């Protein structure tokens, strides 16, 4: 099944196609903010075809982070104008990450691996850390987490797009 958003002069065709392996439902959900000033939301429920595949065509003028949800499993995706991202996701395992190919694959592979590696550092984790440590210990722990994330970034940043490089670096800071 495919869905697309309208084209306009300043927007570039961007495509996400995917296949779920071991799917046990008939759809996936995708969500993103089209506009961060007024938080205009775009949400899609895409039906899977007979091969458990889906397709989304967007016309973007800027990069977007998209939340992909299957059952209760979420993956964050990063799409830039002109990307043609292909994703294969074995949903049988909660800890698995999708495989990516096509334009935008390197950025999304990094994002999936970083999210898996650092998933324990949620806002709830930080609040808990703040409530049970002194301010000096809290700062030391945050510095340690930031250093760990920055090491991972430096080891994997060479082939990232310019926009994603800035996004990934800002996510650390």
């Amino acid at each position: 099944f495919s869905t697309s958003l309208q084209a306009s002069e300043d927007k570039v065709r961007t495509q996400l196609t995917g296949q779920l392996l071991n799917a046990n439902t008939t759809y996936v959900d995708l969500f993103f903010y089209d506009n961060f000033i007024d938080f205009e939301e775009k949400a899609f429920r895409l039906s899977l075809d007979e091969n458990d595949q889906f397709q989304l065509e967007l016309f973007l003028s800027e990069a977007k982070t998209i939340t992909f949800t299957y059952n209760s499993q979420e993956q964050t995706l990063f799409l830039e104008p002109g990307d043609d991202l292909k994703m294969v996701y074995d949903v049988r395992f909660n800890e698995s990450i999708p495989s990516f190919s096509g334009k935008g694959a390197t950025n999304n592979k990094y994002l999936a691996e970083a999210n898996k590696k650092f998933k324990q550092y949620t806002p709830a984790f930080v609040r808990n850390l703040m409530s049970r440590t002194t301010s000096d210990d809290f700062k030391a722990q945050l510095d340690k987490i930031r250093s760990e994330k920055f090491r991972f970034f430096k080891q994997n940043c060479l082939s990232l797009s310019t926009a994603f490089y800035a996004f990934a670096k800002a996510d650390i800071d």
Side-chain angles (χ1 to χ4, degrees):
F1 182 79
S2 74
T3 298
S4 67
L5 285 179
Q6 300 283 342
S8 73
E9 286 184 27
D10 63 333
K11 296 185 177 188
V12 178
R13 181 180 181 269
T14 307
Q15 188 163 291
L16 168 65
T17 56
Q19 180 177 22
L20 300 185
L21 305 177
N22 302 298
N24 62 10
T25 191
T26 59
Y27 64 89
V28 297
D29 292 313
L30 293 112
F31 165 86
F32 67 94
Y33 290 107
D34 194 38
N35 180 330
F36 280 106
I37 294 171
D38 61 9
F39 290 99
E40 180 183 337
E41 300 174 354
K42 297 287 183 188
F44 302 94
R45 175 161 283 177
L46 302 179
S47 296
L48 300 175
D49 68 14
E50 64 277 359
N51 297 313
D52 292 330
Q53 296 178 339
F54 65 90
Q55 179 178 338
L56 178 66
E57 182 178 70
L58 302 169
F59 290 87
L60 301 177
S61 58
E62 62 186 4
K64 303 287 181 193
T65 55
I66 296 176
T67 301
F68 168 90
T69 306
Y70 171 79
N71 284 343
S72 61
Q73 298 176 53
E74 286 188 358
Q75 290 289 324
T76 301
L77 305 174
F78 187 88
L79 289 179
E80 294 181 72
D83 277 357
D84 186 7
L85 184 65
K86 293 159 186 62
M87 175 176 91
V88 176
Y89 189 18
D90 188 343
V91 295
R92 176 178 35 182
F93 307 108
N94 279 341
E95 296 299 313
S96 71
I97 60 173
S99 63
F100 297 101
S101 61
K103 188 174 182 197
T106 303
N107 296 337
N108 282 282
K109 180 179 178 191
Y110 171 93
L111 185 57
E113 289 175 356
N115 285 342
K116 183 176 180 180
K117 183 173 181 66
F118 303 114
K119 72 179 178 184
Q120 72 272 20
Y121 301 133
T122 64
F125 170 86
V126 173
R127 283 190 304 274
N128 184 38
L129 183 65
M130 186 175 15
S131 70
R132 61 181 174 80
T133 60
T134 67
S135 58
D136 288 340
D137 288 343
F138 178 68
K139 182 184 179 318
Q141 286 292 324
L142 288 185
D143 288 345
K144 181 180 173 188
I145 292 167
R146 185 184 182 284
S147 293
E148 185 182 348
K149 287 182 172 184
F150 195 69
R151 257 190 316 279
F152 180 81
F153 174 75
K154 287 309 248 180
Q155 292 168 349
N156 296 284
C157 70
L158 292 178
S159 57
L160 302 176
S161 71
T162 303
F164 186 77
Y165 181 97
F167 169 83
K169 192 167 185 300
D171 187 52
I172 296 167
D173 293 331

PDB file of all heavy atoms in Angstrom, residues 41-65:
ATOM      1  N   GLU A  41       1.051  18.179  13.083  1.00  0.00           N
ATOM      2  CA  GLU A  41       1.361  16.755  13.016  1.00  0.00           C
ATOM      3  C   GLU A  41       0.914  16.148  11.696  1.00  0.00           C
ATOM      4  O   GLU A  41      -0.094  16.540  11.130  1.00  0.00           O
ATOM      5  CB  GLU A  41       0.646  15.994  14.138  1.00  0.00           C
ATOM      6  CG  GLU A  41       1.022  16.448  15.516  1.00  0.00           C
ATOM      7  CD  GLU A  41       0.189  15.766  16.594  1.00  0.00           C
ATOM      8  OE1 GLU A  41      -0.746  15.021  16.269  1.00  0.00           O
ATOM      9  OE2 GLU A  41       0.490  15.998  17.770  1.00  0.00           O
ATOM     10  N   LYS A  42       1.689  15.162  11.251  1.00  0.00           N
ATOM     11  CA  LYS A  42       1.297  14.315  10.127  1.00  0.00           C
ATOM     12  C   LYS A  42       1.386  12.888  10.638  1.00  0.00           C
ATOM     13  O   LYS A  42       2.407  12.475  11.178  1.00  0.00           O
ATOM     14  CB  LYS A  42       2.230  14.481   8.923  1.00  0.00           C
ATOM     15  CG  LYS A  42       2.240  15.860   8.318  1.00  0.00           C
ATOM     16  CD  LYS A  42       0.978  16.122   7.550  1.00  0.00           C
ATOM     17  CE  LYS A  42       1.088  17.493   6.895  1.00  0.00           C
ATOM     18  NZ  LYS A  42      -0.114  17.932   6.295  1.00  0.00           N
ATOM     19  N   ALA A  43       0.317  12.146  10.472  1.00  0.00           N
ATOM     20  CA  ALA A  43       0.297  10.754  10.923  1.00  0.00           C
ATOM     21  C   ALA A  43      -0.299   9.904   9.812  1.00  0.00           C
ATOM     22  O   ALA A  43      -1.238  10.318   9.130  1.00  0.00           O
ATOM     23  CB  ALA A  43      -0.525  10.617  12.200  1.00  0.00           C
ATOM     24  N   PHE A  44       0.278   8.739   9.628  1.00  0.00           N
ATOM     25  CA  PHE A  44      -0.165   7.813   8.585  1.00  0.00           C
ATOM     26  C   PHE A  44      -0.291   6.417   9.164  1.00  0.00           C
ATOM     27  O   PHE A  44       0.585   5.966   9.906  1.00  0.00           O
ATOM     28  CB  PHE A  44       0.858   7.753   7.441  1.00  0.00           C
ATOM     29  CG  PHE A  44       1.122   9.075   6.805  1.00  0.00           C
ATOM     30  CD1 PHE A  44       2.185   9.853   7.229  1.00  0.00           C
ATOM     31  CD2 PHE A  44       0.314   9.548   5.786  1.00  0.00           C
ATOM     32  CE1 PHE A  44       2.435  11.076   6.654  1.00  0.00           C
ATOM     33  CE2 PHE A  44       0.563  10.772   5.202  1.00  0.00           C
ATOM     34  CZ  PHE A  44       1.621  11.539   5.639  1.00  0.00           C
ATOM     35  N   ARG A  45      -1.338   5.754   8.825  1.00  0.00           N
ATOM     36  CA  ARG A  45      -1.466   4.314   9.076  1.00  0.00           C
ATOM     37  C   ARG A  45      -1.418   3.678   7.694  1.00  0.00           C
ATOM     38  O   ARG A  45      -2.314   3.868   6.878  1.00  0.00           O
ATOM     39  CB  ARG A  45      -2.764   3.975   9.784  1.00  0.00           C
ATOM     40  CG  ARG A  45      -2.939   2.454   9.920  1.00  0.00           C
ATOM     41  CD  ARG A  45      -3.918   2.093  10.977  1.00  0.00           C
ATOM     42  NE  ARG A  45      -3.250   2.257  12.274  1.00  0.00           N
ATOM     43  CZ  ARG A  45      -3.838   2.069  13.441  1.00  0.00           C
ATOM     44  NH1 ARG A  45      -5.104   1.739  13.495  1.00  0.00           N
ATOM     45  NH2 ARG A  45      -3.164   2.210  14.570  1.00  0.00           N
ATOM     46  N   LEU A  46      -0.328   2.959   7.435  1.00  0.00           N
ATOM     47  CA  LEU A  46      -0.125   2.358   6.123  1.00  0.00           C
ATOM     48  C   LEU A  46      -0.430   0.867   6.172  1.00  0.00           C
ATOM     49  O   LEU A  46       0.134   0.149   7.006  1.00  0.00           O
ATOM     50  CB  LEU A  46       1.320   2.561   5.656  1.00  0.00           C
ATOM     51  CG  LEU A  46       1.813   3.998   5.560  1.00  0.00           C
ATOM     52  CD1 LEU A  46       3.261   4.025   5.121  1.00  0.00           C
ATOM     53  CD2 LEU A  46       0.945   4.803   4.613  1.00  0.00           C
ATOM     54  N   SER A  47      -1.293   0.437   5.302  1.00  0.00           N
ATOM     55  CA  SER A  47      -1.605  -0.991   5.199  1.00  0.00           C
ATOM     56  C   SER A  47      -0.436  -1.720   4.559  1.00  0.00           C
ATOM     57  O   SER A  47       0.207  -1.196   3.644  1.00  0.00           O
ATOM     58  CB  SER A  47      -2.852  -1.209   4.354  1.00  0.00           C
ATOM     59  OG  SER A  47      -3.969  -0.637   4.974  1.00  0.00           O
ATOM     60  N   LEU A  48      -0.184  -2.919   5.044  1.00  0.00           N
ATOM     61  CA  LEU A  48       0.831  -3.771   4.431  1.00  0.00           C
ATOM     62  C   LEU A  48       0.192  -4.519   3.268  1.00  0.00           C
ATOM     63  O   LEU A  48      -0.964  -4.951   3.361  1.00  0.00           O
ATOM     64  CB  LEU A  48       1.376  -4.769   5.451  1.00  0.00           C
ATOM     65  CG  LEU A  48       2.041  -4.172   6.692  1.00  0.00           C
ATOM     66  CD1 LEU A  48       2.419  -5.270   7.670  1.00  0.00           C
ATOM     67  CD2 LEU A  48       3.249  -3.338   6.316  1.00  0.00           C
ATOM     68  N   ASP A  49       0.928  -4.688   2.187  1.00  0.00           N
ATOM     69  CA  ASP A  49       0.400  -5.464   1.065  1.00  0.00           C
ATOM     70  C   ASP A  49       0.571  -6.956   1.337  1.00  0.00           C
ATOM     71  O   ASP A  49       0.979  -7.365   2.438  1.00  0.00           O
ATOM     72  CB  ASP A  49       1.035  -5.033  -0.264  1.00  0.00           C
ATOM     73  CG  ASP A  49       2.513  -5.381  -0.388  1.00  0.00           C
ATOM     74  OD1 ASP A  49       3.041  -6.192   0.418  1.00  0.00           O
ATOM     75  OD2 ASP A  49       3.160  -4.838  -1.309  1.00  0.00           O
ATOM     76  N   GLU A  50       0.292  -7.789   0.343  1.00  0.00           N
ATOM     77  CA  GLU A  50       0.351  -9.245   0.530  1.00  0.00           C
ATOM     78  C   GLU A  50       1.759  -9.759   0.833  1.00  0.00           C
ATOM     79  O   GLU A  50       1.936 -10.869   1.334  1.00  0.00           O
ATOM     80  CB  GLU A  50      -0.228  -9.977  -0.690  1.00  0.00           C
ATOM     81  CG  GLU A  50       0.546  -9.763  -1.972  1.00  0.00           C
ATOM     82  CD  GLU A  50       0.181  -8.473  -2.710  1.00  0.00           C
ATOM     83  OE1 GLU A  50      -0.703  -7.729  -2.252  1.00  0.00           O
ATOM     84  OE2 GLU A  50       0.810  -8.193  -3.746  1.00  0.00           O
ATOM     85  N   ASN A  51       2.784  -8.941   0.564  1.00  0.00           N
ATOM     86  CA  ASN A  51       4.173  -9.301   0.872  1.00  0.00           C
ATOM     87  C   ASN A  51       4.674  -8.597   2.129  1.00  0.00           C
ATOM     88  O   ASN A  51       5.882  -8.516   2.352  1.00  0.00           O
ATOM     89  CB  ASN A  51       5.083  -8.969  -0.314  1.00  0.00           C
ATOM     90  CG  ASN A  51       4.716  -9.764  -1.541  1.00  0.00           C
ATOM     91  OD1 ASN A  51       4.523 -10.972  -1.465  1.00  0.00           O
ATOM     92  ND2 ASN A  51       4.589  -9.088  -2.667  1.00  0.00           N
ATOM     93  N   ASP A  52       3.750  -8.055   2.911  1.00  0.00           N
ATOM     94  CA  ASP A  52       4.069  -7.307   4.137  1.00  0.00           C
ATOM     95  C   ASP A  52       4.969  -6.105   3.848  1.00  0.00           C
ATOM     96  O   ASP A  52       5.878  -5.781   4.619  1.00  0.00           O
ATOM     97  CB  ASP A  52       4.688  -8.221   5.203  1.00  0.00           C
ATOM     98  CG  ASP A  52       3.679  -9.232   5.725  1.00  0.00           C
ATOM     99  OD1 ASP A  52       2.467  -8.923   5.739  1.00  0.00           O
ATOM    100  OD2 ASP A  52       4.099 -10.343   6.109  1.00  0.00           O
ATOM    101  N   GLN A  53       4.689  -5.425   2.747  1.00  0.00           N
ATOM    102  CA  GLN A  53       5.441  -4.239   2.355  1.00  0.00           C
ATOM    103  C   GLN A  53       4.561  -2.994   2.438  1.00  0.00           C
ATOM    104  O   GLN A  53       3.337  -3.080   2.342  1.00  0.00           O
ATOM    105  CB  GLN A  53       5.976  -4.393   0.933  1.00  0.00           C
ATOM    106  CG  GLN A  53       6.964  -5.526   0.800  1.00  0.00           C
ATOM    107  CD  GLN A  53       7.450  -5.711  -0.626  1.00  0.00           C
ATOM    108  OE1 GLN A  53       6.813  -5.279  -1.588  1.00  0.00           O
ATOM    109  NE2 GLN A  53       8.580  -6.364  -0.760  1.00  0.00           N
ATOM    110  N   PHE A  54       5.225  -1.854   2.593  1.00  0.00           N
ATOM    111  CA  PHE A  54       4.521  -0.566   2.603  1.00  0.00           C
ATOM    112  C   PHE A  54       5.369   0.451   1.856  1.00  0.00           C
ATOM    113  O   PHE A  54       6.560   0.244   1.620  1.00  0.00           O
ATOM    114  CB  PHE A  54       4.257  -0.094   4.042  1.00  0.00           C
ATOM    115  CG  PHE A  54       5.511   0.219   4.807  1.00  0.00           C
ATOM    116  CD1 PHE A  54       6.053   1.492   4.793  1.00  0.00           C
ATOM    117  CD2 PHE A  54       6.161  -0.764   5.534  1.00  0.00           C
ATOM    118  CE1 PHE A  54       7.213   1.784   5.480  1.00  0.00           C
ATOM    119  CE2 PHE A  54       7.320  -0.494   6.236  1.00  0.00           C
ATOM    120  CZ  PHE A  54       7.842   0.788   6.204  1.00  0.00           C
ATOM    121  N   GLN A  55       4.740   1.555   1.503  1.00  0.00           N
ATOM    122  CA  GLN A  55       5.443   2.623   0.804  1.00  0.00           C
ATOM    123  C   GLN A  55       4.838   3.959   1.207  1.00  0.00           C
ATOM    124  O   GLN A  55       3.624   4.095   1.316  1.00  0.00           O
ATOM    125  CB  GLN A  55       5.313   2.444  -0.702  1.00  0.00           C
ATOM    126  CG  GLN A  55       5.991   3.531  -1.498  1.00  0.00           C
ATOM    127  CD  GLN A  55       5.887   3.291  -2.992  1.00  0.00           C
ATOM    128  OE1 GLN A  55       5.681   2.174  -3.441  1.00  0.00           O
ATOM    129  NE2 GLN A  55       6.027   4.345  -3.760  1.00  0.00           N
ATOM    130  N   LEU A  56       5.715   4.939   1.427  1.00  0.00           N
ATOM    131  CA  LEU A  56       5.287   6.298   1.736  1.00  0.00           C
ATOM    132  C   LEU A  56       6.089   7.254   0.867  1.00  0.00           C
ATOM    133  O   LEU A  56       7.319   7.210   0.865  1.00  0.00           O
ATOM    134  CB  LEU A  56       5.517   6.617   3.219  1.00  0.00           C
ATOM    135  CG  LEU A  56       5.163   8.031   3.675  1.00  0.00           C
ATOM    136  CD1 LEU A  56       3.663   8.275   3.568  1.00  0.00           C
ATOM    137  CD2 LEU A  56       5.646   8.262   5.098  1.00  0.00           C
ATOM    138  N   GLU A  57       5.399   8.091   0.147  1.00  0.00           N
ATOM    139  CA  GLU A  57       6.041   9.115  -0.671  1.00  0.00           C
ATOM    140  C   GLU A  57       5.694  10.465  -0.065  1.00  0.00           C
ATOM    141  O   GLU A  57       4.523  10.785   0.137  1.00  0.00           O
ATOM    142  CB  GLU A  57       5.540   9.036  -2.115  1.00  0.00           C
ATOM    143  CG  GLU A  57       6.200  10.028  -3.032  1.00  0.00           C
ATOM    144  CD  GLU A  57       5.692   9.876  -4.458  1.00  0.00           C
ATOM    145  OE1 GLU A  57       4.507  10.220  -4.702  1.00  0.00           O
ATOM    146  OE2 GLU A  57       6.468   9.409  -5.304  1.00  0.00           O
ATOM    147  N   LEU A  58       6.721  11.235   0.247  1.00  0.00           N
ATOM    148  CA  LEU A  58       6.561  12.566   0.815  1.00  0.00           C
ATOM    149  C   LEU A  58       7.240  13.572  -0.091  1.00  0.00           C
ATOM    150  O   LEU A  58       8.154  13.230  -0.835  1.00  0.00           O
ATOM    151  CB  LEU A  58       7.215  12.644   2.199  1.00  0.00           C
ATOM    152  CG  LEU A  58       6.739  11.679   3.270  1.00  0.00           C
ATOM    153  CD1 LEU A  58       7.685  11.720   4.463  1.00  0.00           C
ATOM    154  CD2 LEU A  58       5.334  12.005   3.688  1.00  0.00           C
ATOM    155  N   PHE A  59       6.826  14.800   0.000  1.00  0.00           N
ATOM    156  CA  PHE A  59       7.506  15.894  -0.685  1.00  0.00           C
ATOM    157  C   PHE A  59       7.995  16.834   0.407  1.00  0.00           C
ATOM    158  O   PHE A  59       7.202  17.502   1.063  1.00  0.00           O
ATOM    159  CB  PHE A  59       6.569  16.567  -1.692  1.00  0.00           C
ATOM    160  CG  PHE A  59       6.285  15.678  -2.859  1.00  0.00           C
ATOM    161  CD1 PHE A  59       5.251  14.759  -2.809  1.00  0.00           C
ATOM    162  CD2 PHE A  59       7.080  15.727  -3.992  1.00  0.00           C
ATOM    163  CE1 PHE A  59       5.002  13.911  -3.872  1.00  0.00           C
ATOM    164  CE2 PHE A  59       6.842  14.881  -5.066  1.00  0.00           C
ATOM    165  CZ  PHE A  59       5.798  13.970  -5.000  1.00  0.00           C
ATOM    166  N   LEU A  60       9.315  16.810   0.632  1.00  0.00           N
ATOM    167  CA  LEU A  60       9.915  17.525   1.752  1.00  0.00           C
ATOM    168  C   LEU A  60      10.767  18.696   1.291  1.00  0.00           C
ATOM    169  O   LEU A  60      11.458  18.615   0.281  1.00  0.00           O
ATOM    170  CB  LEU A  60      10.795  16.577   2.571  1.00  0.00           C
ATOM    171  CG  LEU A  60      10.137  15.345   3.185  1.00  0.00           C
ATOM    172  CD1 LEU A  60      11.180  14.501   3.904  1.00  0.00           C
ATOM    173  CD2 LEU A  60       9.011  15.736   4.124  1.00  0.00           C
ATOM    174  N   SER A  61      10.756  19.746   2.093  1.00  0.00           N
ATOM    175  CA  SER A  61      11.654  20.879   1.858  1.00  0.00           C
ATOM    176  C   SER A  61      12.766  20.912   2.900  1.00  0.00           C
ATOM    177  O   SER A  61      13.721  21.672   2.769  1.00  0.00           O
ATOM    178  CB  SER A  61      10.880  22.195   1.886  1.00  0.00           C
ATOM    179  OG  SER A  61      10.225  22.354   3.119  1.00  0.00           O
ATOM    180  N   GLU A  62      12.638  20.076   3.941  1.00  0.00           N
ATOM    181  CA  GLU A  62      13.659  19.986   4.979  1.00  0.00           C
ATOM    182  C   GLU A  62      13.628  18.594   5.590  1.00  0.00           C
ATOM    183  O   GLU A  62      12.662  17.848   5.417  1.00  0.00           O
ATOM    184  CB  GLU A  62      13.424  21.045   6.052  1.00  0.00           C
ATOM    185  CG  GLU A  62      12.104  20.885   6.774  1.00  0.00           C
ATOM    186  CD  GLU A  62      11.803  22.026   7.741  1.00  0.00           C
ATOM    187  OE1 GLU A  62      12.577  22.994   7.810  1.00  0.00           O
ATOM    188  OE2 GLU A  62      10.785  21.936   8.428  1.00  0.00           O
ATOM    189  N   ALA A  63      14.680  18.256   6.312  1.00  0.00           N
ATOM    190  CA  ALA A  63      14.772  16.935   6.945  1.00  0.00           C
ATOM    191  C   ALA A  63      13.709  16.780   8.028  1.00  0.00           C
ATOM    192  O   ALA A  63      13.296  17.756   8.657  1.00  0.00           O
ATOM    193  CB  ALA A  63      16.164  16.750   7.552  1.00  0.00           C
ATOM    194  N   LYS A  64      13.287  15.540   8.220  1.00  0.00           N
ATOM    195  CA  LYS A  64      12.277  15.212   9.229  1.00  0.00           C
ATOM    196  C   LYS A  64      12.710  13.977  10.005  1.00  0.00           C
ATOM    197  O   LYS A  64      13.290  13.050   9.443  1.00  0.00           O
ATOM    198  CB  LYS A  64      10.925  14.882   8.582  1.00  0.00           C
ATOM    199  CG  LYS A  64      10.342  15.956   7.702  1.00  0.00           C
ATOM    200  CD  LYS A  64       9.813  17.101   8.506  1.00  0.00           C
ATOM    201  CE  LYS A  64       9.209  18.145   7.593  1.00  0.00           C
ATOM    202  NZ  LYS A  64       8.970  19.385   8.297  1.00  0.00           N
ATOM    203  N   THR A  65      12.404  13.959  11.292  1.00  0.00           N
ATOM    204  CA  THR A  65      12.499  12.720  12.057  1.00  0.00           C
ATOM    205  C   THR A  65      11.094  12.134  12.084  1.00  0.00           C
ATOM    206  O   THR A  65      10.120  12.840  12.345  1.00  0.00           O
ATOM    207  CB  THR A  65      13.014  12.947  13.494  1.00  0.00           C
ATOM    208  OG1 THR A  65      12.190  13.900  14.141  1.00  0.00           O
ATOM    209  CG2 THR A  65      14.455  13.401  13.490  1.00  0.00           C
TER     210      THR A  65
END
